[in-house]
Amino acid sequence: MFRETLSKRGVRVITGLGKYFRHIDKNRNGFLSQADFKEALKVFHLEIPEGDFESLWLILDDCKSDKVDYGEFTRAVFGEMNEYRKAFVRKAYMKLDFNKTGSVPMVDIRKCYCAK
């Protein structure tokens, strides 16, 4: 049910939610508490009944740590990338990895990308 609600709202809401998650993650560990997660859903007008929220939380917090990894949350909503997207990402990565080291330093990204 929650996934369908998000899919009806569009990519902008989902990406905005991801940005909001990163913003409220003050210690930059990639995790959100249950209270932070609930507040984020309210901010984006994605309020769900308490029983449904508890079920959603149990699914997302599969290791019972009382935290949810927002990267895992977005993957759960978006699903895995299809093969076309994976190939596109690989091609872009190969172009960025000038030295073929398997990692791309920020300086190399700046050579190819301008956000203006």
Side-chain angles (χ1 to χ4, degrees), residues 64-79:
K64 310 297 180 244
S65 63
D66 288 328
K67 297 175 188 166
V68 72
D69 176 331
Y70 58 77
E72 289 294 323
F73 169 77
T74 54
R75 280 188 290 285
V77 171
F78 283 120

Side-chain angles (χ1 to χ4, degrees), residues 24-40:
I24 63 174
D25 181 17
K26 299 299 181 200
N27 59 6
R28 302 283 185 241
N29 66 0
F31 290 93
L32 297 171
S33 69
Q34 187 173 7
D36 287 340
F37 184 67
K38 193 178 279 191
E39 181 62 28

Side-chain angles (χ1 to χ4, degrees), residues 26-63:
K26 299 299 181 200
N27 59 6
R28 302 283 185 241
N29 66 0
F31 290 93
L32 297 171
S33 69
Q34 187 173 7
D36 287 340
F37 184 67
K38 193 178 279 191
E39 181 62 28
L41 295 179
K42 283 183 185 175
V43 166
F44 282 82
H45 307 287
L46 295 167
E47 297 173 49
I48 58 176
E50 188 62 33
D52 290 343
F53 178 83
E54 291 300 324
S55 298
L56 174 63
W57 184 259
L58 288 173
I59 293 167
L60 293 173
D61 183 25
D62 59 350
C63 59

Side-chain angles (χ1 to χ4, degrees), residues 50-113:
E50 188 62 33
D52 290 343
F53 178 83
E54 291 300 324
S55 298
L56 174 63
W57 184 259
L58 288 173
I59 293 167
L60 293 173
D61 183 25
D62 59 350
C63 59
K64 310 297 180 244
S65 63
D66 288 328
K67 297 175 188 166
V68 72
D69 176 331
Y70 58 77
E72 289 294 323
F73 169 77
T74 54
R75 280 188 290 285
V77 171
F78 283 120
E80 291 296 319
M81 281 194 279
N82 63 34
E83 286 306 314
Y84 175 77
R85 285 183 63 204
K86 285 180 187 178
F88 192 77
V89 169
R90 279 189 212 101
K91 188 175 180 179
Y93 186 82
M94 288 169 51
K95 194 164 191 90
L96 290 171
D97 188 11
F98 294 113
N99 302 323
K100 307 298 182 221
T101 61
S103 65
V104 180
M106 192 56 94
V107 70
D108 287 350
I109 293 173
R110 286 187 184 114
K111 290 177 186 175
C112 295
Y113 180 76

